[in-house]
Structures are given as structure tokens and as C-alpha cells.
Amino acid sequence: MTFDSQAYTVQLEEKVSRLRDLLAPFDAPEPAVFDSPLKNFRLRAEFRLWREAGERHYAMFSQDDKRTPILIEAFPIASLRINELMPKLKAAWQASAALSHKLFQVEFLTTLAGDAMITLCYHRPLDEHWHAAATKLAADLNVSVIGRSKGKREVIGHDYVVEKLEVGGRTFSYRQPEGAFTQPNGTVNQKMLNWAYDALGDRPDDLLELYCGNGNFTLPLATRVRKVLATEISKTSVNAALSNLSENAVDNVTLVRLSAEELTEALNEVRPFRRLHGIDLKSYEFGSVFVDPPRAGMDPDTCELTRRFDNILYISCNPETLAANIAQLHDTHRITQCAMFDQFPWTHHMESGVLLTRR
């Protein structure tokens, strides 16, 4: 793969043009554009292992052909740390039957701060020989190692990495658990966080956040408002978010494990939820809502819920569903800011953000 800056510029402009066209019916302002490094931007990578000539190789498969492996020695779009670890890990499994026996998949998770974790997946139970070899591997490579076999998980070191991101002049520390969602492009993620921080601005009232994940946006946005009610359905992400709030001494956030649909029912007083016991929803003075939904966007009821707020700050990984949601809200809210974040260079995917304010 070549990393031609001119080809990247053309591709980036195509994405900006696509977003511009999708938002044109809503009189959107010109989007701010946040580019990506051309290579070494991806902080996580997953490889199948493929046996050839009696040796295991890193392998990937194209979308069109799941049977023919593409053997890989290096992965230029992945972080420098992943590329540094790949040959060292390969040499380790080649030298150790305990590490290589029935090993079929390898996952790397790294951070801009330099932390790293390797997950090794096996078609066999893990024994004391594996544990001894993996412990030495973790020490030699200065990483955490996770071993996974059917229904079992062995952790050597930590089952998370720690990221540090600077937003609004403050450094936030993030615990990112193994197996949980994290933004793959750390450099662009930091740009997204700063854009959202600036777009929200300092406010005297409260923020509702839906789909908060591990608290990626929650931490910096909480410093802009009086208090935050945040929701997330994934138990792993909720635990990571609680840890991150504590680690960063952010004490004005209440986090509840509810889906966006359930919170809508709670705010509409359709039915009570035990998980909201002790939380007085009427004590909040919500002026803004922040949403970062999955690719499908917000369902119609959640979209209607956001209409109640003067400001809707929306981060999207799918510009088509973003446009569909804005169409539902356009009669009461207008786009006052928008942005395109090139989270996934060399693909057609993009992240985008809009600030909608009440007309």
C-alpha cells in the first residue's frame, strides 16, 4: 500500500463533499475538517493466523474472499507500537510450543500514551506451561497478555490499557478494557473530543448523554456543565466509565445502565426502573443532550426525546443515518456547527459531528 499525500487529499475532499451534500438540505454551514496521519494511525489490530510451510503467519482476508489469506509481516496503518510488537511476538510463538499450540488469532490494543496489550486466542484449554510462557512474554515485551480459550480467560498484567488525551488544556486518563469498544484512531479521537468540548461551551445547566461508552466524551464534557446524567447499556463499558470518572476526579456525573430507549421511557414516566432508584430525574435542568449512537443512528423515539433540548450535540459514524435523524429534527432545530473527522483514512468511512440548536 502506498501512502501518497496527494491521493489522501483527494479522498479526504471526496468525504467532505459527501457530507456537504448530505447536510445541504438543512442549510448546514461549511464543515470543519479534521484529517488523519497517513499511516500508523490505528491503535488496534486483529489478525487470524495461517499455517503455511509448517509455520504460522499473520493473515487477513478481503471482504470478497474469506478463504484466501493475505499473509502479513507488517501493518503500516497500525501504530508504531503494533508494528514493533508483531515480529517479536511471531518469534516468541515460533520458539515456544506452549504459546503456538492451537493459537488461531491475535489481537493488539495500544494507546498514544504507549501502553500495549496482546490477546492470544486458542482452540484448546490453557495450562501451566502456557501461563509460564505467557508470563515471560509479557515481561520481555513489556505488555499485558490475555489468553482466551473456550469460556476461559487468563490475564497476565492488566485486562485494559491506559490512554491519556489532552482536551481543553487538561490531560484525561482513560482505562480501555480488552474486548470493549474504543476509537481506533487516537489522534483523530483527540480532535473529536476537542471539537465537541468547544462546540458545547461553558454552560450553567445540565447535560444528558446517551451511549456514553467508557466515558470517552463524558470526562471532558462534564467539565463544561453543572452535572451530567449519562447512560450506557454495556456492562463492561459502564465499569470502565465508572473507573475513568474516579481516576480523573470527575464527580458531577451520574451513570446508569440503561439503553437510550429505556431512558426515554423513564423520562416520559412510562414505567419506573430499579436502576434509577435514588436518582431524581426532576432535579436535572437539561439544556443540552450529547449522543454518539451506533451506525443505525437514533431510533425515532430517541430522536423525539432529543427534540426537548435546546442543544443537540451529535457525533456520528454514519453520515446517512445522521442526515435521516436531522431530517426528523429539522423543523425545531438548525445546524449551527458541523465537522468531518477522518477516523478511517483509506476507506469510505468517516465520523462527523453537528451541533443543532433550537430555532
Side-chain angles (χ1 to χ4, degrees):
M1 182 177 182
T2 58
F3 295 93
D4 179 76
S5 60
Q6 187 172 352
Y8 175 74
T9 300
V10 170
Q11 187 188 78
L12 185 66
E13 179 50 42
E14 287 172 353
K15 292 183 183 181
V16 175
S17 179
R18 181 169 144 230
L19 180 64
R20 195 185 285 126
D21 290 346
L22 282 166
L23 300 185
F26 315 114
D27 301 317
E30 183 65 14
V33 179
F34 297 91
D35 64 357
S36 170
L38 300 192
K39 59 182 181 176
N40 301 125
F41 52 82
R42 189 172 177 85
L43 295 177
R44 64 176 192 247
E46 178 182 304
F47 303 99
R48 295 300 295 256
L49 297 193
W50 189 265
R51 286 184 72 93
E52 192 165 283
E55 192 177 305
R56 281 181 173 81
H57 301 271
Y58 296 106
M60 300 183 86
F61 296 83
S62 74
Q63 293 278 36
D64 304 327
D65 183 355
K66 298 296 185 183
R67 294 187 176 185
T68 307
I70 303 165
L71 304 186
I72 292 170
E73 293 299 323
F75 195 43
I77 67 170
S79 68
L80 290 171
R81 185 86 163 105
I82 290 175
N83 280 280
E84 172 205 341
L85 289 169
M86 286 174 69
K88 293 178 179 178
L89 176 61
K90 185 174 183 178
W93 81 54
Q94 286 176 330
S96 169
L99 288 176
S100 64
H101 183 49
K102 295 197 175 180
L103 174 65
F104 72 93
Q105 184 166 299
V106 173
E107 299 165 14
F108 295 92
L109 180 60
T110 61
T111 67
L112 296 176
D115 206 358
M117 176 169 59
I118 298 173
T119 301
L120 306 173
C121 303
Y122 292 87
H123 286 311
R124 68 172 176 94
L126 302 179
D127 56 20
E128 66 273 11
H129 301 294
W130 178 87
H131 197 276
T135 299
K136 183 178 185 304
L137 177 70
D140 289 348
L141 300 187
N142 190 27
V143 299
S144 292
V145 173
I146 310 291
R148 283 194 172 273
S149 60
K150 189 175 181 180
K152 299 285 186 180
R153 187 177 76 145
E154 295 276 345
V155 179
I156 297 165
H158 300 293
D159 64 350
Y160 59 85
V161 291
V162 175
E163 180 63 285
K164 294 187 182 296
L165 300 172
E166 186 170 319
V167 186
R170 175 177 170 179
T171 300
F172 293 91
S173 176
Y174 292 89
R175 182 178 293 195
Q176 299 180 338
E178 187 248 354
F181 173 79
T182 53
Q183 296 285 352
N185 189 325
T187 302
V188 175
N189 182 38
Q190 188 163 256
K191 293 177 180 181
M192 285 201 308
L193 292 174
N194 277 283
W195 178 84
Y197 176 89
D198 291 338
L200 182 63
D202 279 322
R203 300 195 53 82
D205 49 19
D206 303 329
L207 175 70
L208 175 66
E209 181 182 6
L210 309 179
Y211 323 95
C212 78
N214 72 344
N216 186 47
F217 287 92
T218 318
L219 299 182
L221 295 185
T223 68
R224 298 296 246 172
V225 296
R226 192 180 66 138
K227 58 182 181 175
V228 179
L229 179 65
T231 70
E232 170 58 47
I233 194 62
S234 160
K235 196 175 284 188
T236 303
S237 294
V238 166
N239 289 336
L242 290 171
S243 210
N244 291 334
L245 290 167
S246 175
E247 173 70 24
N248 291 275
V250 174
D251 60 4
N252 64 334
V253 177
T254 298
L255 179 59
V256 291
R257 196 167 70 85
L258 290 174
S259 68
E261 294 82 0
E262 287 172 331
L263 183 72
T264 300
E265 290 183 339
L267 289 171
N268 288 337
E269 299 182 353
V270 172
R271 65 187 179 105
F273 289 88
R274 279 184 296 175
R275 281 167 281 175
L276 285 169
H277 179 72
I279 299 172
D280 181 8
L281 294 178
K282 290 187 169 63
S283 71
Y284 286 87
E285 298 173 11
F286 292 119
S288 307
V289 60
F290 175 79
V291 297
D292 182 10
R295 286 191 61 77
M298 293 188 288
D299 66 273
D301 289 342
T302 303
C303 208
E304 282 304 307
L305 171 68
T306 65
R307 191 194 297 278
R308 300 181 186 184
F309 304 94
D310 289 341
N311 303 292
I312 305 168
L313 189 55
Y314 191 144
I315 296 289
S316 168
C317 60
N318 184 342
E320 277 79 16
T321 55
L322 170 67
N325 284 159
I326 293 173
Q328 185 174 339
L329 297 165
H330 186 55
D331 59 332
T332 55
H333 289 72
R334 62 189 179 90
I335 302 174
T336 53
Q337 293 187 47
C338 66
M340 197 288 286
F341 309 99
D342 200 18
Q343 180 81 233
F344 309 99
W346 311 113
T347 76
H348 71 281
H349 296 293
M350 67 170 119
E351 298 261 332
S352 49
V354 296
L355 175 65
L356 297 153
T357 57
R358 190 177 300 283
R359 292 183 180 278

